[in-house]
Amino acid sequence: MAMLRKGITESFGAAIHALNASHLTDGVIYRSKRMMLDTLGVGLLGTRTDVFNKAMQYSQMFASQERSSVWGNPQVALPPYYAAFVNGIAVHSMDFDDTWHPATHPSGALLPALLALAESLPRRPSGLDLLLAFNVGIEVQGRLLRFSREAYNIPERFHPPSVVGVMGSAAASAKLLALPPAQCSHALAIAASSAGAPLANAATQTKPLHVGNAARRGLEAARLAQLGLEGNPAILDLDRGFGVYYKDYSPAAMADCSSGDFRWMLEDQAVAVKRIPAHLGMHWVVDAALAARAKLEGGEVNFDLGRIRKLTLRVPQSKYIDCPFPATEHQARHSFQFNACSALLDNKVAVTSYSKANMGRPALKELLSKVTVETPEGNQASFDKMYCEVEVETEQGSTYLARCDTFYGHWRRPLSQEDLVDKFCTNASTVLCTEGVEGVVDAVENMERLRQSSTLTSYLTMTSSLQQHFYRSRIF
């Protein structure tokens, strides 16, 4: 008798349930631990932002018997769903988190949900349990993104973490809860009804909520499925199901992980790790602007940025990252013009570049008024294929041109481990004490050997030297 072929949603539920630690490869473990460390660093830095503080104020109105930690805030614990929410917002509050291809921010919707859930379980998961669930959530996002060619380009309608992030959070949470296959499928179906956020809220304080909501709603979906709530068991199979988010939806079943056909997507496609807290497209224009400035310095006898007559940027077509005169830090993080001009003026772009003081400088405003943006037809709006050119024309008639095809930190030019750890330490040290920073690095590095994932969580709230004696014993 022939075996019945699984539906697409059913295949996902089966894979979420069946994947186990033996499927994790050295390459996937290495890449996912890098993603975790970077996510924790930008999340800790993000706990000191205005948007995080507003979300925290709101979330403290809710109470439950279960309480989970808020990163960088040892005096506050929240119901797990709201801890996932605020920590997810912190991760994306400065647009400093990792980016994948097809386009999404894969980690911010997962790690806050998993750490919040882990604290609420009667049996505390191990580090390996956490690592496996994280990779299941990454895999589900990667598979869903490849159901559409539209997803390969810089998005036009929906912010991707709000679409696939909530599904990844549901899958990862379902895995940590050890749900059976049917409930894993229902968790995806429930999460799909919380998916989708308009791209019009990019460059506003609401954009970080997309990641926070993905973390929270995915966790809620898994918990509801655990209680027996059901959704459409074919949610991924249908154009009127998950297909509503794409114009060219073409789903495919997930390979049976018990066969030799299964291979993690993270094995073949690494993520981009950002060096500046801004939309990923800004990294191309910043590197090109820095190279143009170096040529300008070398070519002008009396180097003076005030003598720039015209600044031309050649970038891909994308409306939401074309912001000529940004008025807020969130607009600035999504402005080709602002980031190119900041790089030219300061010979760098950093966290402080988006402060009110720096944004209000007369020299910056003057340079912004000289910018022209061109969108060459062959410059594709894809993080895998785009480029940026910066051309500086001086009053003396000289021209200096620089181009960036692949910035440092892109998956084609990944950050060294030393630079990635340095980024984490720089970000985390603004919040945690030295032992907390070192403890997180150590815990993530040894994640697959941690007996309890709570070891990591304890370091994430270690902001005072008064707490150090409590955490001196590391549990492996």
Side-chain angles (χ1 to χ4, degrees):
M1 183 176 177
M3 291 183 64
L4 292 175
R5 184 179 177 183
K6 286 189 177 77
I8 292 167
T9 311
E10 186 182 3
S11 75
F12 272 69
I16 292 167
H17 172 76
L19 284 165
N20 60 62
S22 68
H23 291 104
L24 294 173
T25 65
D26 290 344
V28 164
I29 290 173
Y30 172 75
R31 284 179 171 172
S32 57
K33 289 197 298 189
R34 282 168 58 92
M35 294 162 71
M36 285 182 168
L37 187 65
D38 184 59
T39 300
L40 293 170
V42 299
L44 286 162
L45 182 66
T47 63
R48 300 303 185 257
T49 60
D50 186 43
V51 64
F52 172 85
N53 289 331
K54 287 182 171 68
M56 175 86 100
Q57 184 179 356
Y58 163 76
S59 297
Q60 285 179 290
M61 294 190 295
F62 301 91
S64 76
Q65 292 180 337
E66 295 180 345
R67 311 290 281 177
S68 297
S69 300
V70 177
W71 304 348
N73 289 268
Q75 74 284 4
V76 179
L78 294 172
Y81 307 118
Y82 288 95
F85 176 63
V86 298
N87 290 331
I89 287 172
V91 170
H92 198 57
S93 63
M94 301 172 75
D95 222 310
F96 212 176
D97 46 329
D98 57 22
T99 306
W100 213 11
H101 178 75
T104 195
H105 304 285
S107 301
L110 302 185
L111 200 53
L114 289 173
L115 290 178
L117 175 59
E119 284 189 88
S120 70
L121 296 177
R123 184 191 71 80
R124 295 299 170 87
S126 69
L128 188 58
D129 293 333
L130 190 73
L131 196 61
L132 175 62
F134 181 83
N135 276 288
V136 167
I138 294 295
E139 184 69 15
V140 166
Q141 291 182 77
R143 299 271 175 171
L144 296 178
L145 283 166
R146 285 157 180 80
F147 286 1
S148 164
R149 292 300 305 176
E150 179 186 356
Y152 281 72
N153 297 325
I154 296 174
E156 296 180 0
R157 298 186 300 152
F158 298 104
H159 190 210
S162 74
V163 178
V164 298
V166 66
M167 306 295 281
S169 173
S173 299
K175 185 62 185 177
L176 203 61
L177 288 168
L179 299 188
Q183 287 187 345
C184 291
S185 295
H186 286 304
L188 295 176
I190 297 165
S193 283
S194 293
L199 206 57
N201 268 327
T204 75
Q205 285 188 324
T206 297
K207 189 187 179 196
L209 270 65
H210 298 170
V211 173
N213 279 327
R216 171 192 166 194
R217 296 299 190 184
L219 174 52
E220 287 179 340
R223 281 294 205 184
L224 287 167
Q226 185 183 37
L227 292 172
L229 189 73
E230 297 182 351
N232 191 317
I235 196 71
L236 301 181
D237 304 63
L238 305 171
D239 286 342
R240 69 180 188 278
F242 195 72
V244 299
Y245 298 107
Y246 300 107
K247 301 171 186 173
D248 59 345
Y249 191 62
S250 180
M254 188 179 286
D256 184 350
C257 59
S258 64
S259 72
D261 295 332
F262 181 80
R263 181 178 174 85
W264 299 95
M265 289 199 165
L266 191 59
E267 192 84 60
D268 300 315
Q269 176 64 63
V271 301
V273 175
K274 297 180 178 181
R275 291 177 294 123
I276 59 173
H279 180 276
L280 192 71
M282 305 305 109
H283 291 65
W284 277 271
V285 81
V286 165
D287 278 13
L290 292 174
R293 177 186 163 114
K295 291 182 178 181
L296 183 62
E297 284 181 310
E300 296 290 313
V301 177
N302 296 311
F303 174 65
D304 183 358
L305 289 172
R307 295 182 180 177
I308 292 177
R309 185 180 70 83
K310 184 179 180 182
L311 179 61
T312 303
L313 311 180
R314 298 186 182 95
V315 298
Q317 179 74 47
S318 182
K319 295 178 182 178
Y320 84 103
I321 48 178
D322 180 4
C323 186
F325 298 99
T328 69
E329 62 167 298
H330 297 282
Q331 290 177 357
R333 298 182 199 281
H334 294 75
S335 168
F336 279 126
Q337 297 90 333
F338 175 87
N339 286 278
C341 290
S342 292
L344 283 169
L345 282 176
D346 303 325
N347 204 24
K348 65 176 183 179
V349 176
V351 171
T352 55
S353 299
Y354 306 93
S355 68
K356 287 183 179 179
N358 277 324
M359 289 184 63
R361 291 177 293 170
L364 178 63
K365 292 180 178 180
E366 181 184 355
L367 192 54
L368 282 169
S369 69
K370 300 176 181 179
V371 176
T372 297
V373 172
E374 297 178 357
T375 54
E377 185 175 342
N379 195 357
Q380 296 186 43
S382 163
F383 291 143
D384 200 43
K385 298 179 179 180
M386 65 176 281
Y387 68 86
C388 286
E389 285 184 352
V390 173
E391 183 174 341
V392 180
E393 298 178 34
T394 68
E395 292 176 350
Q396 291 75 27
S398 300
T399 300
Y400 301 91
L401 175 67
R403 171 170 167 151
C404 177
D405 293 293
T406 305
F407 65 86
Y408 180 47
H410 192 277
W411 46 85
R412 289 193 297 268
R413 290 182 61 201
L415 290 187
S416 68
Q417 186 66 13
E418 181 181 1
D419 285 346
L420 185 136
V421 172
D422 183 63
K423 177 190 171 183
F424 167 80
C425 292
T426 299
N427 290 334
S429 62
T430 64
V431 178
L432 302 183
C433 66
T434 300
E435 189 166 348
V437 173
E438 293 174 352
V440 173
V441 173
D442 196 35
V444 173
E445 184 177 328
N446 293 281
M447 181 64 69
E448 66 269 44
R449 293 180 286 277
L450 289 181
R451 278 186 266 166
Q452 292 189 353
S453 58
S454 56
T455 301
L456 171 61
T457 309
S458 67
Y459 288 117
L460 292 172
T461 55
M462 202 168 172
T463 59
S464 168
S465 60
L466 295 176
Q467 299 165 299
Q468 291 186 17
H469 70 280
F470 183 77
Y471 301 110
R472 289 192 182 278
S473 176
R474 298 180 185 178
I475 304 171
F476 294 109

